[in-house]
Amino acid sequence: DVAFEYLLNLGFTTLADDDVDPNTGAVLSDRTQSAALGGLSYGVTTYEMSAAYASIANGGVYNKPVLYSKVVDHDGNVIIDNTTPTSHRVMKDTTAWQLIEAMKSVVTAGTGTPALLRSGVKCAGKTGTTSSHYDLWFAGMTPYYTASIWMGFDSNVDMGGWNTHKYMWRDIMDQIAAL
C-alpha cells in the first residue's frame, strides 16, 4: 500500500486499483509486490516515467509536467498561462540522493553502460525489460534533464538483448548537453 501511494504521488495515472477486466472478469490491482519492479496492469507512459525520475533528480520534489508554458493570441494577450508549476514533495531529499547514487552505477558498471554519456556529463539511470523482452526501457537523468526511452511493438515481439534504447538515450542526451 505504501509503494502504491508513492506511485500515485509520483504522478502515475495508469494504476489499477480493484479494476474489473471486462474480458475475463478478473479483478486487477497494482497493490502488489510486482509493482515495485514495474509489473503494472496497464503499463506506464514515458511521459509519466520521466516525471517520476525527474522527481528523484529534483531532490524528491514532483513537478507536474507541462507541454507548453503559455498560449497567446495574435495581439500578444496571454490566453492560458501554464508557467506556475504544480509541485509537492514525494520523498525526503536524502532518499532521492541515495537513489541517484545507486543509479549512477547502472551506467558506469551495470546493465545501462551503453547509456553512459560520451560528453562526460554525469548521469544516472535504470534499465527495464518485461517478460520475454517485449518492452525495453531506459529512464535516466543528468544534472539538468531527465528522459525515458521505451522500445517495443503493439503486439508482443521478443526484442532480445537489444541495447538500442540505451544508445538512443545516450545520443539524445549528449546532443542536449552540447547546447
Side-chain angles (χ1 to χ4, degrees):
D1 288 338
V2 172
F4 188 85
E5 293 301 318
Y6 266 99
L7 291 173
L8 289 174
N9 285 327
L10 286 165
F12 287 77
T13 62
T14 57
L15 302 175
D17 193 13
D18 295 329
D19 298 1
V20 177
D21 186 324
N23 298 321
T24 64
V27 176
L28 302 174
S29 177
D30 290 327
R31 291 180 184 268
T32 62
Q33 292 174 338
S34 63
L37 298 173
L40 302 175
S41 300
Y42 304 120
V44 65
T45 68
T46 53
Y47 184 74
E48 291 177 341
M49 186 69 81
S50 294
Y53 274 80
S55 300
I56 299 167
N58 289 334
V61 176
Y62 173 84
N63 293 311
K64 184 177 179 184
V66 294
L67 298 175
Y68 61 91
S69 56
K70 64 182 170 181
V71 176
V72 296
D73 66 14
H74 66 283
D75 293 323
N77 300 312
V78 176
I79 307 248
I80 300 173
D81 185 351
N82 204 16
T83 57
T84 305
T86 302
S87 61
H88 59 272
R89 179 157 294 283
V90 292
M91 67 187 74
K92 295 187 291 187
D93 58 346
T94 52
T95 303
W97 179 84
Q98 289 175 327
L99 288 168
I100 292 168
E101 288 301 304
M103 288 188 288
K104 284 179 181 178
S105 66
V106 171
V107 294
T108 58
T111 57
T113 54
L116 184 63
L117 298 181
R118 292 178 176 169
S119 62
V121 171
K122 300 286 185 202
C123 63
K126 180 69 181 86
T127 62
T129 47
T130 56
S131 300
S132 301
H133 300 98
Y134 293 154
D135 298 281
L136 304 176
W137 282 90
F138 185 80
M141 63 194 78
T142 70
Y144 301 102
Y145 299 101
T146 303
S148 298
I149 298 285
W150 168 81
M151 288 184 69
F153 293 92
D154 289 342
S155 59
N156 291 334
V157 173
D158 186 337
M159 304 273 294
W162 296 2
N163 282 316
T164 307
H165 59 302
K166 299 169 196 171
Y167 293 123
M168 185 183 304
W169 188 89
R170 178 201 65 202
D171 292 347
I172 291 168
M173 298 306 275
D174 267 337
Q175 288 180 39
I176 291 170
L179 298 177

